Each structure stands twice: as structure tokens, then as C-alpha cells.
Amino acid sequence: MRVLVIGGDGYCGWATALYLSNQGHDVAILDSLVRRHWDMELCVETLTPIAPIQARLQRWQDLTGKSIDLFVGDINNYSFLQGAMLKFEPEAVVHFGEQRSAPFSMIDREHAVLTQVNNVVGTLNLLYVIREHFPDCHLVKLGTMGEYGTPNIDIEEGYITIEHNGRKDTLPYPKQPGSFYHLSKVHDSHNIHFACKIWGLRATDLNQGIVYGVLTEETGMDELLINRLDYDGVFGTALNRFCIQAAIGHPLTVYGTGGQTRGLLDIRDTVRCVEIAVNNPADPGKFRVFNQFTEMFSIADLAMMVKKAGNAVGLDVEVKHLDNPRVELEEHYFNAKNTKLKDLGLEPHYLSDSLLDSLLNFAVKYKARVDEKQILPKVKWNK
Ligand code: NAD
Ligand code: USQ
């Protein structure tokens, strides 16, 4: 299939583009490279030294004989997006191309506006190009489990059947997101759902949990194909951060009690889930929602697992509970469904000692690149 990966220079997008290319799909990457720019603005760098996108793609072609087209530009620029899509003529678009950090979106008004404009307008432009030129193209959009928040009932996959005053309906599951970033994903979901309804487009919203790990078969083939791994207080995510903190002897930064529970998945499952969605398109007019995570953990449990794995490889790991910079429930019910992707063939990689070992070893290998000043959280939700 001809698959356009928007955001293909990023953490999930790079791994996915190579994986889909390796599976025999005809892949193109579209990316504005703005994430590299935001890193520079924040004075942060990925733990791993990532090569320029052109060098990455050249290496992929040299190694495998498979070429991946590249379109550098912003999906907020409608004519650029339209031109790129007319040139590539995708049968499926996988859309990762958003500002994806909750802390970034909570820095100040400018960052909240940037996040919502970048994400919501970009997705809306994409919907219009699809409607105008490729109405049969399947949109596979990365959403987030954080759209649901932490309700005191089970979380279903996108929809919930409710009986009210003697009547019954299946409705979009209520959304209670916890940052302006997570809110932008809710706005996207509403826009995509509406576009499917009125124009008959086909879309799958992948409500992904927190991704961990760095190696996939393809990105591990060569140093020039290495993926990014963020550890800083803005773009770094919980488990990845904990492994890197353990590697450099920094106390693990658990916010508050650590009772916050989330869905997580290995990056090797991210790429496979996207492939499953691409290979099984939604029907015309259908807005499908899959919860994309494999296991649920509390943050405190993750910290304890990293401590144990660290100790096993000779690292002295301390866990520290910091004042929570976010406004969120620290003790809550959390039970989310995740059967739809498994029903379509996902065989999860569960979080294991060997994965933690390899992530810790990876972190130790690159630890000289860590800037310790970037580890503690600086962005507060209610300052
Ligand atoms: P990332 O920041 O590593 O990658 C995003 C890429 O999109 C970057 O290369 C960036 O340059 C590009 N981009 C952003 N705005 C763009 C625009 N307007 N036009 C063109 N390109 C643009 O992020 P990631 O971790 O790979 O996340 C990818 C997607 O997956 C996001 O939508 C995110 O919300 C979702 N997601 C990520 C995680 C996670 O743990 N990383 C978890 C759940 C969902
Ligand atoms: N947390 C800590 N210590 C840390 C970092 C985080 O205790 O050092 C806590 C946070 O307070 C939060 C939880 O861990 O309760 C998750 O935080 P995170 O930074 O790992 O993840 P989050 O901000 O939710 O965002 C990440 C990605 C985002 C994606 C989301 C999936 O950056 O793109 O949408 O995970 S989910 O969490 O399911 O919404």
C-alpha cells in the first residue's frame, strides 16, 4: 500500500516508517522537522544522536534497497500539504505530526496556542485534502489514552452504550483530558468523527498509551538509523525517563504519590498496531477508535521495576517522590479495554526484565550526552 507517514522524523513516526517500508509498503515521510527546532529552543537533546532525516533515509536505502520519499513542510500550510499528497497519492495516511508534550503545552499561553493550532488546524487541513482528492484514503490518526482522563468507571474503546430515562444509545466515550495538549487530541477526534459522518471518510483513531523503548528491528540495523529517546522534563515520558535517570544515578522522579495509572506499550507494538490499522481499513463513513496499549501500570510500580532492574545490573537506584507539578488525580480507578487490536492480530511485547535491561544498557551507553539540568520538571500546571 502507498502509506504517507506524517511526523515520520519523530520517535513513533520514524520507527513506523521504516517498519512499514520493511514490510513492503510504499512509504513516504512528511515532516516539518519542527520537533528538532523545539528541542533547540528548549536547549534539550535526545539521549541518542539522531542523524539528519536525509542521511537517515539515504542509509535506509543503501542498506535495504528500499526508498522512502521525503516531503519537508508543515501540514498547517494547506497548499504544501495538498501538493505533497497529490504527488504521492497515498492510500493510507498515518498522522503522527503533532506537538505531543503535555508539559510543553502548559508552559504559557503561547505554547498552549501553538499546540492547539498546530495540532487541530493541521488535522483539519488533512481532512480537507483527503475529502477533496482522496476520499477513499484511510486516515490512521494517533490519538491518546489521555483523552479519557481517569474516570471512576471502565474505559471503553471510543464509545459507550448508555441507558438514560428509559432510552439507550451508543455515544462517544466522555473525555476528561489533563492538559492543553491532551485537549488538542480530543478536538481532533471530534473533527475527524464529524468529517467521517458528513463526507463519508474512513478513519481510525489510535488512542495510544505511553510508549517506551527505543529499539525496533529496523532502527537497530545501523547507528545512522537510531531513533530519538527523550529524557528531559518536557518531552521525556515516564518509563524512558526513569531508565535514563537510573543510568546516570539520578533519583527517579515520581510526581506525587505515583498512584497515577496509565496504559503503556513497547515501541515495537506501536509500529505493529499501526500496520494492523493500515492493513484493515475502516469502512467508508466510519470513525473507528482503538485503545493502543498493552499493559497498565502505576508510575510508582514502574519506578520500583526500574529500581529492581537497575540493582540487578549493578546500578544504585533511588526513588524520589517530588511535589507533583501537574494537576491530576494521584490515586484513582483505571481499567481500560484494549481488545480490538489484539482481535486483529496484535501479539504484545510485555514489559520484561530483558527489555528493562536493554533500555538501561542503552541509557548507560549514551549517558555522557545527558544534561542533568534538564531532568527535573520545570513546568507547573497551576503556577
Ligand atoms: P515526536 O515529537 O517525536 O514526533 C512528532 C513529529 O511530528 C516530529 O518529527 C515533528 O517535527 C512532526 N510535526 C509536528 N507538527 C508538525 C506539523 N505541523 N507538520 C509536519 N510535521 C509536524 O512525537 P512522538 O512521540 O513520535 O508522537 C507521535 C504521535 O503519537 C503524536 O501525535 C502523539 O500525540 C502520539 N502519541 C505519542 C506517545 C508517546 O509516548 N510518544 C503516546 C501516545 C500518543
Ligand atoms: N510522571 C512522573 N514522573 C516523571 C514523568 C511523568 O511521575 O518524571 C507522571 C505524570 O505526572 C503522569 C504520568 O507520569 O501522571 C505520565 O506522564 P508522561 O510524561 O509519561 O506522559 P504524558 O504527559 O501523559 O504524555 C505522554 C506522551 C503523549 C501521549 C501520552 C499517552 O508525551 O504524547 O499522548 O503519553 S497517555 O499518557 O496515555 O495520555
Side-chain angles (χ1 to χ4, degrees):
M1 236 188 254
R2 297 177 64 73
V3 187
L4 179 65
V5 180
I6 299 179
D9 187 46
Y11 174 54
C12 300
W14 176 241
T16 301
L18 296 192
Y19 177 77
L20 293 177
S21 172
N22 217 14
Q23 300 305 307
H25 293 287
D26 191 354
V27 176
I29 284 177
L30 186 155
D31 200 300
S32 62
L33 312 183
V34 67
R35 179 54 212 285
R36 293 177 187 245
H37 171 74
W38 291 328
D39 282 358
M40 277 191 274
E41 268 187 7
L42 295 168
C43 295
V44 300
E45 271 187 284
T46 139
L47 176 79
T48 44
I50 53 170
I53 182 73
Q54 294 83 355
R56 289 173 136 185
L57 292 175
Q58 187 60 53
R59 189 75 191 123
W60 177 246
Q61 181 162 4
D62 293 346
L63 269 179
T64 64
K66 299 171 199 288
S67 81
I68 295 181
D69 289 344
L70 175 65
F71 300 92
V72 176
D74 189 335
I75 60 170
N76 280 255
N77 176 342
Y78 187 78
S79 56
F80 160 76
L81 176 63
Q82 179 175 245
M85 287 188 48
L86 284 172
K87 199 155 173 210
F88 184 67
E89 300 185 333
E91 292 160 283
V93 174
V94 183
H95 179 18
F96 292 103
E98 300 206 321
Q99 192 303 97
R100 68 108 178 120
S101 156
F104 185 96
S105 75
M106 300 302 288
I107 293 175
D108 56 16
R109 185 193 68 84
E110 282 77 12
H111 289 80
V113 170
L114 181 163
T115 299
Q116 295 215 349
V117 170
N118 185 66
N119 296 359
V120 178
V121 175
T123 300
L124 202 48
N125 278 341
L126 181 56
L127 289 169
Y128 267 92
V129 179
I130 293 176
R131 177 222 174 170
E132 205 56 42
H133 302 289
F134 306 98
D136 204 38
C137 176
H138 177 208
L139 171 60
V140 177
K141 165 68 168 51
L142 269 291
T144 176
M145 284 301 292
E147 292 187 35
Y148 301 117
T150 51
N152 200 29
I153 56 172
D154 292 348
I155 294 173
E156 304 297 322
E157 299 201 56
Y159 298 89
I160 183 167
T161 300
I162 298 178
E163 278 192 54
H164 182 63
N165 293 346
R167 300 185 65 81
K168 194 171 165 182
D169 202 353
T170 298
L171 299 167
Y173 195 93
K175 306 288 174 71
Q176 303 182 78
S179 72
F180 285 120
Y181 152 70
H182 287 97
L183 273 155
S184 74
K185 304 297 251 191
V186 173
H187 305 327
D188 281 343
S189 296
H190 288 148
N191 286 343
I192 301 168
H193 192 174
F194 183 68
C196 289
K197 194 159 64 185
I198 59 169
W199 299 330
L201 304 188
R202 46 172 100 222
T204 304
D205 208 0
L206 296 175
N207 280 345
Q208 184 168 241
I210 307 168
V211 183
Y212 59 80
V214 64
L215 279 178
T216 53
E217 188 188 326
E218 294 77 18
T219 61
M221 281 181 187
D222 187 276
E223 189 82 10
L224 267 184
L225 301 179
I226 202 166
N227 203 350
R228 65 161 49 245
L229 190 60
D230 301 310
Y231 67 87
D232 62 277
V234 172
F235 279 104
T237 52
L239 183 55
N240 288 345
R241 259 163 77 70
F242 290 167
C243 289
I244 294 157
Q245 291 165 359
I248 62 161
H250 190 288
L252 309 192
T253 56
V254 173
Y255 299 164
T257 66
Q260 304 93 309
T261 300
R262 299 288 185 268
L264 285 98
L265 74 163
D266 187 309
I267 191 157
R268 291 172 293 177
D269 290 334
T270 291
V271 303
R272 172 74 180 126
C273 289
V274 171
E275 183 194 26
I276 289 172
V278 165
N279 287 348
N280 299 275
D283 291 334
K286 184 108 178 156
F287 175 67
R288 210 169 50 166
V289 183
F290 295 164
N291 290 346
Q292 181 168 314
F293 70 93
T294 56
E295 291 175 282
M296 291 174 271
F297 295 102
S298 76
I299 298 300
D301 284 348
L302 290 175
M304 288 319 292
M305 289 164 80
V306 172
K307 181 179 166 70
K308 188 171 147 248
N311 291 344
V313 294
L315 297 168
D316 186 15
V317 184
E318 185 196 338
V319 176
K320 198 164 174 182
H321 291 261
L322 307 179
D323 284 346
N324 196 337
R326 306 187 183 197
V327 176
E328 60 185 359
L329 291 181
E330 292 176 7
E331 300 296 332
H332 58 87
Y333 180 77
F334 191 82
N335 185 32
K337 302 278 170 62
N338 62 345
T339 53
K340 291 190 182 171
L341 282 158
K342 287 192 228 163
D343 289 347
L344 288 171
L346 174 67
E347 288 172 18
H349 294 86
Y350 294 112
L351 182 56
S352 61
D353 291 347
S354 65
L355 183 282
L356 284 174
D357 275 4
S358 87
L359 199 47
L360 283 166
N361 287 331
F362 208 83
V364 169
K365 179 170 174 196
Y366 291 100
K367 73 176 189 179
R369 288 175 49 87
V370 174
D371 177 357
E372 284 213 35
K373 293 191 298 300
Q374 299 297 347
I375 289 185
L376 288 177
K378 294 175 194 148
V379 182
K380 294 196 169 65
W381 263 225
N382 61 357
K383 66 173 182 305

